[in-house]
């Protein structure tokens, strides 16, 4: 991930926190993985769907 992308991610996280929706380190890592192509958004959403259907 480029430094510009990392900075954009940090800025988005800071903005989110100011709105009361702070991101955890795990959530930041997930976003980074998606941006870097290590995880597709479709795969992530499918995993969430399966996780909450089991609950």
């Amino acid at each position: 991930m480029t430094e510009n992308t990392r900075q954009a991610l940090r800025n988005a996280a800071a903005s989110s926190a100011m709105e009361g929706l702070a991101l955890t380190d795990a959530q930041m890592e997930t976003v980074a993985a998606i941006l870097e192509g290590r995880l597709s958004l479709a795969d992530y959403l499918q995993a969430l769907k399966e996780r909450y259907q089991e609950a």
Side-chain angles (χ1 to χ4, degrees):
M1 180 180 325
T2 68
E3 185 55 38
N4 285 344
T5 303
R6 274 194 277 288
Q7 184 61 45
L9 180 53
R10 287 191 296 266
N11 288 348
S15 179
S16 180
M18 288 176 57
E19 296 295 328
L21 300 170
L23 298 175
T24 65
D25 289 341
Q27 290 167 326
M28 290 287 288
E29 178 56 34
T30 298
V31 172
I34 292 169
L35 292 174
E36 292 172 344
R38 294 182 283 127
L39 176 66
S40 76
L41 182 56
D43 288 343
Y44 176 69
L45 294 175
Q46 183 63 34
L48 281 179
K49 180 180 173 184
E50 291 169 3
R51 178 179 179 185
Y52 288 101
Q53 282 181 338
E54 293 173 3

